[in-house]
Structure formats: structure tokens, C-alpha cells
């Protein structure tokens, strides 16, 4: 390979049986092509990169990277991903739509991630109209939107994380929401029987956290600590 040498490389590959911390990761199956007049000025075309679990296609990336102008564009657009087929937790159910876009340049890539679902069920708790949108680059991750309805009440969150400075700022808001869904995530911490409703307007940062958490008839148990 070198100057004045036309290059045309096709590659199909499969990566399977990857174990990380005793857990088997999804398999990868791809097809890509590289065409160039010279070694370092070509275009790498990702015809597809499938992410699979037990034969089920979770998602599929496509796109290209141009080594001549240093630009890249990769994308993923998948509808109705079945959570019950990809999650290790059998109590997580529902279907999500996922869109990922990676563009910019090789040295300064940018990305957006958009996830939505009409309904997600975890154990006995149902969350509707779930939206989770991220964007970012090498310097910052932005939580553009995280919304869901729980028993017709809305919880919203936005924020950002500065990767270089290790600083964050997040806002959490709800006019009125039942808090018993917190049992789904806090039970492993020894907190259970959470009940009541709350008005929430909180801000969290690396320096301090402040705001309003106005609880009504809040109750919980901590059997581990006899509370």
C-alpha cells in the first residue's frame, strides 16, 4: 500500500462471546468497505453494524468516514426495540424507538441520542410517554430532555456534564407526582414501602444541591436499620 495505489477492501466480520464482568455482551455483525486512491485519503463505508442478543437484532448502525476531508456521519434508527428481549432483568418490559446520529469531524465528533417509548413497565410500575434525549461531544454531555408520566403526572429533567472540568448541573421538576415508583430503584439500598406525593423543583451541581421537595404524606421503611 502507498501512493498511487488504488485500494478497495471489503470486510465482513462477526464478534461474539464477549464476556465482561461475568456478563455476556451483545454480539456484533458487520460489513464494511474501504475505497481510496491512496492509503490515507479514502472513504470507509459501514454498510451495516448489527448489535445482536440471542439472535435478536437490537439495532443497526450505518454511515461513513471520509479520511480526505476528515468528516464522518454514522447513524442508527431503530423502531420498537423489545426491552424484554435485550434486558437481563425479566421485570423490564416495553418497546422503545432509538435514534443515534454521530457526525462532525474525526477530531471533533458530535452525537445525539433520542429515545422514546409509549410505555415502559418495570416490575409493577408503569411509565408512559418516556423521552430521553442526549447530545454531546468530547467536552460536554447534555441531557436535553428526560420526561415521563407516572400515573398521568409529569417528571422532567435537564442538565449538562462538563467532561473536562468534571462539573455538572441538573434540574429535576414535577408539579405533583406519586413517589412510590422510587421503590423500584431504592429497594436494593434497603429503603422500601415508599409512598406519598411530592412537588419537586431541585437543582443538583458538584458544588451544592438546593430547591424544593414538598412532600405530602411521605412514608418509607428501612428494615435493615430498624426504621
Amino acid at each position: 500500500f502507498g501512493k498511487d495505489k488504488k485500494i478497495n477492501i471489503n470486510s465482513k466480520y462477526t464478534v461474539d462471546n464477549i464476556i465482561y464482568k461475568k456478563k455476556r455482551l451483545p454480539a456484533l455483525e458487520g460489513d464494511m468497505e474501504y475505497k481510496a486512491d491512496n492509503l490515507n485519503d479514502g472513504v470507509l463505508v459501514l454498510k451495516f453494524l448489527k448489535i445482536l442478543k440471542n439472535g435478536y437484532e437490537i439495532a443497526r448502525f450505518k454511515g461513513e468516514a471520509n479520511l480526505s476531508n476528515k468528516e464522518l456521519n454514522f447513524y442508527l434508527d431503530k423502531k420498537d426495540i423489545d426491552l424484554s428481549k435485550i434486558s437481563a432483568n425479566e421485570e423490564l418490559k416495553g418497546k422503545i424507538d432509538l435514534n443515534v446520529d454521530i457526525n462532525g469531524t474525526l477530531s471533533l465528533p458530535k452525537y445525539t441520542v433520542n429515545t422514546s417509548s409509549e410505555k415502559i413497565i418495570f416490575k409493577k410500575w408503569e411509565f408512559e410517554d418516556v423521552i430521553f434525549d442526549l447530545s454531546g461531544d468530547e467536552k460536554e454531555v447534555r441531557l436535553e430532555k428526560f420526561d415521563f408520566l407516572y400515573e398521568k403526572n409529569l417528571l422532567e429533567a435537564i442538565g449538562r456534564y462538563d467532561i473536562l472540568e468534571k462539573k455538572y448541573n441538573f434540574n429535576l421538576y414535577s408539579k405533583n407526582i406519586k413517589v412510590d415508583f422510587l421503590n423500584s430503584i431504592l429497594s436494593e439500598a434497603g429503603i422500601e414501602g415508599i409512598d406519598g406525593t411530592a412537588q419537586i423543583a431541585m437543582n443538583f451541581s458538584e458544588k451544592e444541591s438546593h430547591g424544593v421537595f414538598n412532600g405530602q404524606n411521605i412514608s418509607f421503611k428501612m428494615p435493615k436499620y430498624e426504621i
Side-chain angles (χ1 to χ4, degrees):
F1 298 115
K3 291 186 176 181
D4 302 321
K5 299 289 185 179
K6 290 186 179 293
I7 300 168
N8 191 339
I9 302 173
N10 289 276
S11 176
K12 294 183 179 182
Y13 52 90
T14 300
V15 181
D16 200 357
N17 295 320
I18 305 172
I19 307 297
Y20 179 70
K21 293 184 177 181
K22 299 182 179 181
K23 293 184 179 180
R24 184 175 178 178
L25 299 182
L28 302 176
E29 182 180 316
D31 186 354
M32 65 181 183
E33 179 182 54
Y34 183 69
K35 289 184 177 181
D37 290 332
N38 297 293
L39 182 61
N40 58 356
D41 66 357
V43 177
L44 175 66
V45 178
L46 183 63
K47 296 179 180 179
F48 67 82
L49 174 61
K50 294 191 289 187
I51 305 172
L52 306 159
K53 183 171 183 180
N54 299 326
Y56 176 75
E57 184 176 318
I58 302 171
R60 181 185 296 225
F61 271 100
K62 294 182 179 181
E64 64 179 43
N66 190 315
L67 301 188
S68 179
N69 61 19
K70 311 302 182 185
E71 293 182 352
L72 56 85
N73 182 22
F74 293 95
Y75 63 92
L76 177 160
D77 191 8
K78 179 72 173 180
K79 306 292 185 183
D80 295 330
I81 300 173
D82 192 337
L83 295 177
S84 66
K85 292 184 178 181
I86 66 174
S87 174
N89 193 320
E90 296 180 354
E91 295 180 291
L92 181 63
K93 301 176 182 178
K95 293 184 178 182
I96 63 171
D97 295 341
L98 175 62
N99 179 274
V100 179
D101 187 35
I102 303 172
N103 53 45
T105 64
L106 295 174
S107 59
L108 291 172
K110 301 177 181 179
Y111 62 87
T112 59
V113 180
N114 304 110
T115 306
S116 62
S117 176
E118 292 184 358
K119 181 185 290 187
I120 293 176
I121 302 172
F122 182 57
K123 297 182 179 180
K124 65 177 183 179
W125 294 279
E126 296 186 6
F127 306 94
E128 298 179 310
D129 296 340
V130 181
I131 298 175
F132 181 72
D133 293 344
L134 281 177
S135 67
D137 50 36
E138 62 176 6
K139 298 179 181 179
E140 183 179 68
V141 180
R142 295 176 292 276
L143 177 59
E144 304 285 359
K145 191 174 188 179
F146 177 44
D147 295 358
F148 64 79
L149 289 174
Y150 178 63
E151 296 195 357
K152 308 302 180 183
N153 292 311
L154 178 66
L155 183 74
E156 303 172 90
I158 60 171
R160 58 182 292 273
Y161 175 67
D162 188 314
I163 298 172
L164 301 179
E165 299 293 332
K166 294 183 171 56
K167 295 180 179 180
Y168 62 89
N169 193 302
F170 291 92
N171 293 305
L172 185 66
Y173 177 79
S174 179
K175 287 184 178 180
N176 188 59
I177 191 166
K178 287 194 68 177
V179 297
D180 63 320
F181 73 88
L182 293 174
N183 287 290
S184 65
I185 56 177
L186 295 180
S187 59
E188 293 185 3
I191 304 173
E192 58 186 54
I194 303 170
D195 201 5
T197 60
Q199 177 188 5
I200 304 170
M202 297 291 297
N203 174 263
F204 304 90
S205 73
E206 78 285 348
K207 293 181 179 179
E208 63 177 357
S209 299
H210 63 273
V212 175
F213 186 94
N214 185 9
Q216 299 177 15
N217 300 317
I218 297 291
S219 62
F220 62 90
K221 299 177 182 178
M222 300 179 67
K224 182 177 179 180
Y225 303 100
E226 298 183 352
I227 298 176

